Structure formats: C-alpha cells, structure tokens
Amino acid sequence: MSIRYISQKLAQQIDEELMSASGAFSLDQLMELAGLSCAQALSKSYPASTHKRVMVACGPGNQGGDGLVAARHLHHFKYKPTVYLPKPGSKDIYQRLLKQCENLNIPILKDVEEFKEGLKDTDVVLDAIFGFSFAPPLRAPFDQVLNCLNSISIPIVSVDIPSGWSVTDGPQPLYTQKDDQGNSESIKTFTPEVLVSLTAPKEGVKGFKGKHWLGGRFIPDELAQKYQLNLPDYQGVDQVVELPQRD
Amino acid sequence: MSIRYISQKLAQQIDEELMSASGAFSLDQLMELAGLSCAQALSKSYPASTHKRVMVACGPGNQGGDGLVAARHLHHFKYKPTVYLPKPGSKDIYQRLLKQCENLNIPILKDVEEFKEGLKDTDVVLDAIFGFSFAPPLRAPFDQVLNCLNSISIPIVSVDIPSGWSVTDGPQPLYTQKDDQGNSESIKTFTPEVLVSLTAPKEGVKGFKGKHWLGGRFIPDELAQKYQLNLPDYQGVDQVVELPQRD
C-alpha cells in the first residue's frame, strides 16, 4: 500500500484531533517536533559543511512557527540561519519561538529588501511561508517573496506545500489581491528541490518529482489506521523518512 | 576544557532561566526535547532488535514527565515500552503526556507488585524516577522500587541522576521516611549501566564509570558560556552526545 496524499480538510482534521482533549498534544509539542523534522530533512539534504548559510522564510501562521523552531535547531546543528519574518503571528507561542531565536543571535529580517539582499549570502532556503491552510489570493509582501524565490538558483526546501501551490491541485495560476482599481498581478510559482511533508503528504504535491521527506513521527497508530495514511517505516531514531521518488 | 559537573542549585537556576520570560521556553518544549534525548540515548545503547521490552519507571515530578515523553518516542522507535507511574504528578502536562501514552496502548502500571512482575518481561529499564530536585528521605513505594532495581540483573538507563543518589555526593546511605515509632529502613542504591545527563552532568555523578550520554541540545551558547558549562560538540542531528569515560 502506498502512502495516502491527504486533502486540506483531512490535514486540518488530523491537526485538530491531535490537539483535542483526547489527542492531548499541545501546539508547543507538535511545533517542536515538526520544526525538528524540517531541520533534520534540510540537514540530510544539504549538509552544514557545504550549505552553512540558511535563509528561513517564515509566514504569519503555524508554518512560520515550524520555521522558527527549525531555525533554532539548525543553529544547534552548526548552520548559520537567518530568519525572514515579515509578519510575526500574534499568538504568544510565535513571540516565544522568536525570542528563542533572538537569544541565539540569529538575525531576524522584517523587510523584503533585506530578504532579497540576504539571499546573496545564502546557500539554501527553507520555505516555511504557507502551509496546508493556504488559500489565495496572495498578499503583500509575499507576492514579492514568491517572485524572488522563483528567480533564484539557490536550492529551496519547502515545508509541507511549496508556498503558493494549491494544497489540492499543486502549481496553479496565482494572483495577488485586487487593488483599488480591481487589478491583480499574476505570480509565478516556484518548484523546490526538496519537500518536507508533515504528518502525511498533501494532494497538491502528488506531482512533485524532487527529494521528498516525510516528518512528524508522532502520529498514533490508530489515527494512521483510521485515515488509512499508510505511513512508511521511519528508521532508527530519525524524525524523517525519505519517500520513494514518483515517476 | 572538560565539561562542568553542576550543583543542584545551578541545575535549578538554569531550568528557571530557560523558562523565564527572557529564556522563553515552555515546559512542554523542554520536556519534549529531554524525553526525546532519553529515548535516543537508550536506543543508541540498547537497540530495539535486542532490547525490545523497556520498563519506563516514572517519578511524580518533571523527571517522570521526561519518562512519559521517552516512552512515547520509544514506541515510535519500535520498542515495546511499559510505563510504571505509581504517583502521577497533578500538573496538567503530566495528564496530557500520560494520555498520549495511553493513546498508543502503552501499558500503564500503578501498583508496585505489577511493576515487579513486569520486570520479568523486561529487557532494559529506563529510570526516570528522581531527578536533580531529589532530596531524601525516601517515600513509599519508591523504597520498594529502589530495592527491586538494586536486585535485578536487567540493564538500567538512568535519567540525570541515578534514582536515590545524592545530587551533590553520589551514592550515599539512604533511608526511608521514619514511621510512627521513629524507625526507618536503610535502602541500598543501585548503579546503572548507562546514564543520560540532561543539560549538564550533576556533581553527584562525577564518579560514574558507565556509558554516559549528555542530552538537551537546546542550551543557548550565551547561557553555556555564562556558567562555563564547557559542553561537548554534538554530531549531525543527534540529540545526545557520548561523554568520554572517566578513569
């Protein structure tokens, strides 16, 4: 049985079940393990010896929180991460995760021009901008960010869903929010070299042909069975497992 | 510079700093990473292929919480853990961690007789009974538990400080709480095969000669420098590092 590619709705439902009274996980726990998975997958794809400087691009939601956790672990894994966080989430947890990065003297960029400038000194990008809750249209400054990620030749590791892709249908025509004149701009999506799916891969990445990791080694067996996720075997103490390449 | 063995007081202070407003860590995060370290250290010492059945003995405090986290990860690492938790801590977090274990159908034992019986089907014990806050005298049922651990030939992996040892002075004469007649019983301490120190080793384990892991790869560099912890280099994505054997 091959692994199940899950819908946006099921991804949200699994998250809710894990954090319900019966699932009993806290967001702190799940985000810590998810971010650790991302850091491990990046490390197994691009070692610190060759790809020391990591730009961690963080969105305003939980995906950005995973990015902040990953940045911290990457620092401990001997990388030199920089965080780009233009719109910090308001939840207390994001403030705490940000502070933990600041305590490691990880540079935090807020301005998109700083981000573009920073990419010149970057060996690999961790894309933690949008996750499985993403729905278009695209809001500033992420239009510029995506245009920029589409134009660079640095490898990109995306978390869960490449930012800008439809969670259901993969790469699709993407537009910015309409301005006062009713105009919107078309944004080209990018295809990352590496993808880290969390919990289970989403329907939108069925056509992804690059290196594909699965992270989130915390799904209870009964939950996996209930939704027929057909998760692969993780090895040893790894928090990630590589999925077979698709034709 | 060799690693610093820290006092009970400094261990408590580091914990408080990590969880202060400026340290910004939550107990959920630290316990998750600590428990994961313990599971990794056990796995690197006793592989699941030869030591599948793990008895995780949990105390009533944070150390017991680390044990519950470790039991969950050990399940995902393909061990068959059993939890012995005679006095569950009252904090909400222990209830949640316990529920997470129950959701994996990990057997939870409460009775000391069940614990003794369970040891007959155990390949390795994870001792998460007392941590760096331990102070004698010994209260029931942990007198019986320690006597039992002293009599078995199954290997024991202790977390932070072998349960019953003085955090400052190591193995010392140990007594139970006085009964109504003012009598107390002498309890023999045990020496584990393996030790997992968290954050930094404690003064009491200076004389420990067995396999010694350090876990807790989350200490900010500035905190480590401030207290001259002289932490060793962790490798790759490992959450534990082996300390050199002492003569």
Side-chain angles (χ1 to χ4, degrees):
Chain A
M1 291 289 279
S2 57
I3 194 166
R4 177 169 178 191
Y5 285 69
I6 64 173
S7 67
Q8 186 171 39
K9 197 179 154 194
L10 182 52
Q12 283 159 344
Q13 192 170 331
I14 290 174
D15 238 36
E16 280 165 23
E17 281 190 35
L18 287 169
M19 289 190 277
S20 69
S22 67
F25 278 98
S26 68
L27 182 59
D28 278 59
Q29 280 183 290
L30 293 182
M31 211 168 259
E32 192 64 35
L33 294 174
L36 180 61
S37 296
C38 296
Q40 284 198 359
L42 186 142
S43 174
K44 285 169 186 277
S45 310
Y46 300 103
S49 54
T50 56
H51 291 73
K52 204 172 181 67
R53 300 166 304 173
V54 187
M55 177 67 77
V56 183
C58 297
N62 281 350
Q63 181 94 163
D66 296 343
L68 291 171
V69 172
R72 169 163 45 82
H73 286 291
L74 287 169
H75 168 92
H76 290 298
F77 294 170
K78 298 169 194 165
Y79 288 83
K80 244 177 88 75
T82 296
V83 164
Y84 170 56
L85 180 69
K87 292 189 167 180
S90 56
K91 276 193 219 165
D92 170 65
I93 188 171
Y94 302 126
Q95 302 302 320
R96 286 188 280 110
L97 294 175
L98 181 60
K99 179 79 181 137
Q100 290 162 24
C101 285
E102 288 169 348
N103 286 347
L104 300 176
N105 299 311
I106 294 173
I108 314 289
L109 310 181
K110 290 204 158 181
D111 187 90
V112 69
E113 296 304 326
E114 287 180 317
F115 167 69
K116 289 179 188 173
E117 196 60 28
L119 287 176
K120 294 178 186 162
D121 297 313
T122 294
D123 302 311
V124 54
V125 175
L126 183 65
D127 157 31
I129 302 175
F130 300 128
F132 65 69
S133 303
F134 175 70
L138 203 55
R139 287 173 172 77
F142 297 108
D143 49 348
Q144 287 190 64
V145 173
L146 261 59
N147 270 337
C148 181
L149 292 180
N150 188 47
S151 70
I152 58 173
S153 56
I154 309 162
I156 301 175
V157 177
S158 285
V159 179
D160 224 24
I161 186 92
S163 293
W165 287 26
S166 155
V167 181
T168 310
D169 301 311
Q172 294 295 317
L174 183 65
Y175 298 92
T176 56
Q177 213 173 3
K178 285 184 181 164
D179 63 16
D180 296 344
Q181 281 76 45
N183 300 320
S184 64
E185 193 192 337
S186 163
I187 302 291
K188 269 195 185 165
T189 53
F190 64 89
T191 297
E193 276 68 19
V194 177
L195 179 64
V196 194
S197 290
L198 295 172
T199 312
K202 312 304 168 295
E203 286 174 345
V205 302
K206 270 185 182 164
F208 179 72
K209 301 266 193 288
K211 203 176 184 67
H212 193 170
W213 299 96
L214 180 70
R217 194 178 184 177
F218 47 69
I219 298 293
D221 319 304
E222 287 178 4
L223 191 75
Q225 279 157 22
K226 177 174 157 189
Y227 295 117
Q228 299 178 296
L229 299 181
N230 304 321
L231 299 178
D233 263 357
Y234 289 79
Q235 297 304 307
V237 300
D238 288 349
Q239 294 296 307
V240 289
V241 56
E242 192 172 350
L243 298 179
Q245 300 247 323
R246 290 167 73 91
D247 303 322
Chain B
M1 293 287 280
S2 57
I3 194 166
R4 178 169 175 191
Y5 285 69
I6 64 175
S7 66
Q8 185 169 39
K9 197 178 153 193
L10 182 52
Q12 281 157 344
Q13 193 170 330
I14 290 174
D15 238 36
E16 280 165 22
E17 284 190 33
L18 287 170
M19 287 190 278
S20 69
S22 68
F25 277 97
S26 68
L27 182 60
D28 278 59
Q29 280 183 290
L30 294 181
M31 210 168 259
E32 192 63 36
L33 294 174
L36 180 60
S37 296
C38 297
Q40 285 199 357
L42 185 142
S43 173
K44 285 168 186 278
S45 309
Y46 300 102
S49 53
T50 56
H51 291 73
K52 204 171 181 68
R53 302 167 302 171
V54 188
M55 177 67 77
V56 183
C58 297
N62 281 349
Q63 183 92 165
D66 296 344
L68 291 172
V69 173
R72 169 164 43 83
H73 286 291
L74 287 168
H75 169 90
H76 290 297
F77 295 170
K78 299 167 194 167
Y79 288 84
K80 246 178 86 78
T82 296
V83 164
Y84 169 56
L85 179 70
K87 291 189 168 182
S90 57
K91 277 192 218 166
D92 169 63
I93 188 171
Y94 302 126
Q95 302 302 319
R96 286 187 282 111
L97 295 174
L98 181 59
K99 179 77 181 139
Q100 290 163 26
C101 286
E102 288 170 348
N103 286 347
L104 300 175
N105 298 313
I106 295 173
I108 314 289
L109 311 181
K110 290 204 159 182
D111 187 273
V112 69
E113 297 304 327
E114 287 180 317
F115 168 71
K116 289 181 188 172
E117 195 63 26
L119 286 175
K120 293 177 186 164
D121 297 312
T122 293
D123 301 311
V124 53
V125 174
L126 183 64
D127 157 31
I129 302 174
F130 299 129
F132 64 70
S133 303
F134 176 69
L138 204 57
R139 287 174 171 77
F142 297 107
D143 49 347
Q144 285 190 67
V145 173
L146 262 60
N147 270 338
C148 181
L149 291 180
N150 189 48
S151 70
I152 58 173
S153 57
I154 307 162
I156 301 175
V157 177
S158 283
V159 179
D160 224 25
I161 187 91
S163 294
W165 287 27
S166 156
V167 182
T168 310
D169 301 310
Q172 295 294 319
L174 182 66
Y175 297 92
T176 56
Q177 212 173 4
K178 283 183 181 164
D179 64 16
D180 297 345
Q181 280 77 47
N183 299 321
S184 64
E185 193 192 336
S186 166
I187 303 291
K188 268 196 185 166
T189 53
F190 65 89
T191 297
E193 277 69 17
V194 177
L195 179 64
V196 194
S197 289
L198 295 172
T199 314
K202 312 302 170 296
E203 286 174 345
V205 303
K206 271 185 182 163
F208 179 72
K209 300 267 194 288
K211 201 175 187 67
H212 192 170
W213 299 95
L214 180 69
R217 194 179 184 178
F218 49 68
I219 298 294
D221 318 304
E222 288 179 4
L223 191 77
Q225 278 156 23
K226 177 173 156 189
Y227 294 117
Q228 299 180 295
L229 300 181
N230 304 320
L231 300 178
D233 264 356
Y234 289 80
Q235 297 303 307
V237 299
D238 288 350
Q239 294 296 307
V240 289
V241 55
E242 192 171 350
L243 298 179
Q245 300 246 324
R246 291 167 72 93
D247 302 323

